[in-house]
Amino acid sequence: MWKYSADFPTDAASYKELVHMLMPETGHSICSVITAQNHGGYDTGLAVNSQLEILSPAGSYPCAQEYLRLLQKTDAAFAELVNYFRAQPEPTIILMFGDHLPAVEEEFLNATLPENDIFALYTTPFILWANYDLGLDKSASEVTMSSNYLFSYLLETADLPMTG
């Protein structure tokens, strides 16, 4: 089983490096950051202080529990990243998504995914955040799609030029 190691930075460290890289930047930038903290191998030792416990569905789900504990850490790091860019004058958009469902216990996934929804296996939630009004209505937060369409969605939403 793949195990998280010192070879891979935490999400918080990745976001801090992103901010550091963009600080001296002038002009427009498109930057992509791929993190590994929540990718798999849920025996990281990074979330030992978390009090999160899975109460439902009933059962023992150590991988799912570690994954959810790591998500708590990702949420906190993402909040710091958003707060940093919220205070910046340069218009900024952040698109955050996962490329697949977590590799946790199949019984846990079966109990938590919508029944009879084959598309739930091929989509992941995403966040599109900006430090300015993108003109999205509330229903946009309920958009689901495969990750291969997200970049086009981002460009269209940001009113940026697209290729033919």
Side-chain angles (χ1 to χ4, degrees):
M1 174 183 261
W2 180 84
K3 182 172 171 47
Y4 192 86
S5 72
D7 295 336
F8 298 100
T10 63
D11 287 0
S14 297
Y15 299 158
K16 286 179 184 170
E17 181 62 22
L18 170 68
V19 166
H20 177 73
M21 286 173 29
L22 294 176
M23 281 179 140
E25 193 66 39
T26 57
H28 302 288
S29 295
I30 294 177
C31 190
S32 177
V33 175
I34 299 172
T35 63
Q37 177 176 294
N38 301 320
H39 197 264
Y42 300 115
D43 182 18
T44 67
L46 292 173
V48 292
N49 296 329
S50 172
Q51 299 301 311
L52 183 137
E53 298 292 330
I54 297 174
L55 302 177
S56 178
S60 176
Y61 306 107
C63 291
Q65 187 164 295
E66 177 76 359
Y67 171 73
L68 293 171
R69 288 175 173 176
L70 291 171
L71 279 184
Q72 286 180 317
K73 293 193 166 295
T74 296
D75 285 348
F78 190 71
E80 285 184 33
L81 181 69
V82 165
N83 287 333
Y84 171 80
F85 284 110
R86 180 177 282 126
Q88 301 307 307
E90 182 72 28
T92 302
I93 299 173
I94 298 173
L95 173 63
M96 179 182 184
F97 67 97
D99 62 339
H100 58 79
L101 293 173
V104 298
E105 294 84 0
E106 190 173 339
E107 300 82 26
F108 181 81
L109 284 178
N110 290 339
T112 55
L113 289 175
E115 264 188 68
N116 301 319
D117 183 358
I118 187 116
F119 295 109
L121 298 173
Y122 303 102
T123 60
T124 58
F126 66 93
I127 298 168
L128 185 60
W129 176 89
N131 64 353
Y132 64 96
D133 184 9
L134 287 174
L136 296 173
D137 63 23
K138 296 289 182 195
S139 65
S141 65
E142 298 173 9
V143 171
T144 60
M145 68 183 76
S146 174
S147 60
N148 58 319
Y149 296 110
L150 284 176
F151 194 66
S152 295
Y153 180 75
L154 167 66
L155 292 175
E156 183 178 316
T157 302
D159 200 26
L160 293 170
M162 297 176 65
T163 63

